[in-house]
């Protein structure tokens, strides 16, 4: 192929009118256009109906399950058994709040060194929390296999979504470590993950 | 019913509104997932997960943005996750297909197999453009890449498919 106008046109490097004018006198590009139209019409013909008669039923039951989970139907005795975990979460929240207090203090003229120390403290606690969750995850994930398939998929998706949030927060904090707003999001995501893992553990132990 | 009204009802957790979304998008979502993942069971799972993610995230959806690109973005990102996790680099060569004379069905089968061997992003761009009829701008929004990247992906996909088909003497 000696003429590159077709490629330039396809990549948007030359305009439609210029290409049309060129097309009148270029046999190579005329052949290219013909081949292209043939491929496109063949591709269009791949759009055949896909039969999936039970798919909506599956989706509906997943959404109903999610709705129930959202309403917070507690597993028997679940809340009491998780009391220590909630206590730890509250304690962690307090530590983060103290850290944020020092961080925000920087804006009101507090010496930068003190705020920096508070930031280091917050990061240290966060890392400890992350590590603890990582350990919990290592214990919980192998037990997921004992859940029924629907629950397992549900929890797997939920964990994926939470991990996604955590990673996005970490990325944002990498750019601006003192952003208290993102730290709050990260904390919420970590708590969500801890609670989800605890739920899985409870259900796996019961099954 | 107006799509915005349906979405507003979805945001109020009305399951019948999700069914309306399903009825509108079931086929294009299934086609696209099938072309990317290669197997119907995986495609159905992907659509199911897409609706679950939609249910969880619909409150963050802004009504002024285009819903179809939002929905397809959820599904395509999920398909990429599936491919990454399962490392399902199935090598499907054209020789796998049992072909007779070059009937229209056989040509379609060749094309289908050839599409399945394209790299992920090239395949997604091509399928959304050539099979599902999305505009370049919409594909760029779905895949969160530039217009130039989409155009390049589509052009390269077309060239590879044409060369793949002509190697097997399949021509217009």
């Amino acid at each position: 192929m000696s003429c590159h106008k077709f490629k330039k046109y396809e990549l948007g490097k030359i305009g439609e009118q210029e290409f049309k004018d060129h097309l009148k006198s270029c046999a190579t590009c005329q052949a290219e256009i013909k081949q292209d139209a043939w491929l496109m019409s063949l591709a269009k013909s791949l759009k055949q109906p896909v039969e999936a008669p039970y798919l909506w039923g599956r989706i509906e039951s997943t959404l109903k399950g999610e709705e129930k989970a959202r309403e917070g139907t507690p597993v028997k005795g679940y809340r009491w058994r998780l009391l220590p975990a909630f206590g730890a979460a509250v304690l962690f929240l307090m530590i983060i709040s103290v850290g944020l207090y020092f961080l925000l203090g920087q804006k009101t003229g507090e010496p930068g060194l003190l705020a920096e120390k508070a930031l280091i403290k917050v990061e240290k606690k966060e890392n400890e929390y992350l590590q603890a969750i990582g350990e919990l995850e290592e214990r919980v994930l192998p037990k997921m296999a004992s859940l029924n398939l629907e629950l397992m998929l549900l929890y797997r998706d939920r964990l994926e979504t939470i991990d996604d949030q955590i990673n996005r927060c970490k990325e944002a904090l990498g750019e601006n470590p003192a952003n208290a707003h993102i730290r709050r999001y990260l904390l919420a995501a970590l708590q969500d993950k801890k609670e989800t893992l605890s739920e899985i553990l409870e259900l796996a132990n019961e099954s | 019913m107006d799509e915005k009204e349906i979405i507003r009802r979805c945001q109020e957790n009305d399951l019948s509104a999700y069914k309306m979304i399903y009825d509108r998008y079931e086929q294009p979502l299934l086609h696209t997932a099938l072309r990317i993942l290669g197997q119907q069971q995986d495609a159905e799972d992907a659509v199911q997960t897409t609706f679950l993610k939609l249910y969880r995230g619909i409150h963050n959806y802004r009504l002024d943005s285009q819903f179809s690109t939002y929905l397809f973005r959820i599904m395509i990102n999920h398909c990429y996750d599936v491919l990454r996790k399962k490392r399902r680099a199935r090598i499907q060569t054209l020789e796998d297909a049992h072909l007779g004379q070059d009937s229209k069905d056989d040509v379609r089968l060749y094309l289908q197999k050839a599409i399945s061997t394209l790299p992920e992003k090239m395949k997604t761009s091509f399928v959304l453009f050539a099979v599902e009829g999305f505009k370049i701008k919409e594909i760029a929004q779905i895949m969160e890449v530039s217009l130039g990247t989409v155009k390049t992906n589509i052009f390269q996909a077309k060239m590879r498919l044409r060369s793949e088909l002509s190697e097997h003497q399949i021509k217009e």
Side-chain angles (χ1 to χ4, degrees), chain A residues 54-69:
Chain A
Y54 306 111
L55 182 54
W56 172 249
R58 281 170 55 195
I59 293 172
E60 194 178 24
S61 84
T62 307
L63 296 188
K64 280 181 179 166
E66 182 74 4
E67 199 175 23
K68 268 191 187 167

Side-chain angles (χ1 to χ4, degrees), chain B residues 2 4 39 41 64 69 71 79 111 114 124 126 154 160 166:
Chain B
D2 170 38
K4 285 190 176 170
Q39 286 193 349
Q41 188 56 52
D64 55 349
T69 56
L71 187 63
C79 287
L111 178 62
T124 308
F126 181 79
I154 294 171
R160 283 174 70 151
S166 71

Side-chain angles (χ1 to χ4, degrees), chain A residues 7-95:
Chain A
K7 181 177 179 181
K8 285 183 177 172
Y9 170 64
E10 284 279 294
L11 298 181
K13 289 179 181 165
I14 60 170
E16 193 168 354
Q17 195 52 52
E18 186 183 340
F19 183 66
K20 270 185 183 168
D21 293 342
H22 164 78
L23 202 56
K24 288 174 195 160
S25 58
C26 179
T28 310
C29 286
Q30 283 169 15
E32 289 284 349
I33 284 285
K34 211 173 163 189
Q35 275 281 305
D36 189 64
W38 170 73
L39 179 67
M40 291 299 283
S41 110
L42 196 59
K44 263 270 169 290
S45 74
L46 290 180
K47 202 173 171 177
Q48 308 275 336
V50 182
E51 295 281 322
Y54 306 111
L55 182 54
W56 172 249
R58 281 170 55 195
I59 293 172
E60 194 178 24
S61 84
T62 307
L63 296 188
K64 280 181 179 166
E66 182 74 4
E67 199 175 23
K68 268 191 187 167
R70 202 181 267 181
E71 283 163 7
T73 313
V75 178
K76 202 179 168 187
Y78 163 76
R79 286 189 176 163
W80 290 111
R81 273 176 276 167
L82 284 182
L83 205 57
F86 284 122
V90 170
L91 183 67
F92 184 72
L93 193 64
M94 282 167 68
I95 293 166

Side-chain angles (χ1 to χ4, degrees), chain B residues 139-157:
Chain B
I139 300 170
Q141 284 169 354
I142 290 171
M143 297 177 68
E144 295 178 300
V145 293
S146 68
L147 294 180
T149 304
V150 178
K151 284 178 186 170
T152 307
N153 280 343
I154 294 171
F155 179 74
Q156 287 175 345

Side-chain angles (χ1 to χ4, degrees), chain A residues 107-155:
Chain A
K107 285 180 189 167
T108 58
E110 189 187 37
L113 193 61
L114 198 54
E116 208 170 287
K117 273 185 185 170
L119 182 59
I120 291 168
K121 203 171 164 186
V122 169
E123 280 175 348
K124 194 180 162 206
K125 290 289 171 193
E126 255 172 23
N127 286 336
E128 283 171 13
Y129 197 45
L130 269 169
Q131 205 180 337
I133 288 179
E135 284 166 16
L136 180 62
E137 191 172 18
E138 272 176 29
R139 281 179 53 202
V140 171
L141 290 186
K143 295 190 175 185
M144 268 178 88
S146 64
L147 300 180
N148 72 45
L149 186 65
E150 204 166 306
L151 267 180
M152 190 179 85
L153 291 174
L154 195 80
Y155 278 112

Side-chain angles (χ1 to χ4, degrees), chain A residues 32 48 51 58 62 160, chain B residues 31 40 45 48 85 162:
Chain A
E32 289 284 349
Q48 308 275 336
E51 295 281 322
R58 281 170 55 195
T62 307
E160 271 175 25
Chain B
H31 283 141
Q40 178 150 351
D45 288 347
Q48 184 179 357
K85 280 179 190 160
R162 273 167 53 178

